[in-house]
Amino acid sequence: IHRSNRKWLLAGACIIWSSTSLVSSMTNSFAVIFAMRFILGLFVSATEPVGFSLLGDYFPAAYRTTANGILGAGTYIGSASAA
């Protein structure tokens, strides 16, 4: 049972994710960095399940495996390009 709109859930998680990253970059306090990183982890953990769930709505069954593979590979491609 879906109790909330997944698009809005994903949008809200991304906004909070970005906000916690911004606050983390501007603070000198370890406690604030710790709290922001904790909150960041909570909201980042919501993005993948919601993203994969939305792919099921937007892609036909024949293309879902490719779409899921691209979304899943994005984490590793982003990490590799950042290194």
Side-chain angles (χ1 to χ4, degrees):
I1 299 173
H2 298 290
R3 295 184 182 198
S4 62
N5 186 337
R6 290 171 291 157
K7 289 186 266 186
W8 287 111
L9 181 64
L10 184 60
C14 289
I15 289 169
I16 293 172
W17 173 359
S18 300
S19 300
T20 58
S21 295
L22 178 68
V23 171
S24 293
S25 70
M26 297 184 338
T27 188
N28 294 326
S29 168
F30 178 76
V32 173
I33 290 175
F34 182 82
M36 290 299 108
R37 295 297 287 179
F38 181 78
I39 295 168
L40 174 83
L42 289 176
F43 285 94
V44 168
S45 67
T47 59
E48 280 204 30
V50 173
F52 283 113
S53 176
L54 285 172
L55 287 180
D57 293 344
Y58 290 121
F59 289 93
Y63 296 111
R64 281 187 199 143
T65 54
T66 303
N68 283 330
I70 291 170
L71 182 62
T75 302
Y76 302 109
I77 293 170
S79 296
S81 63

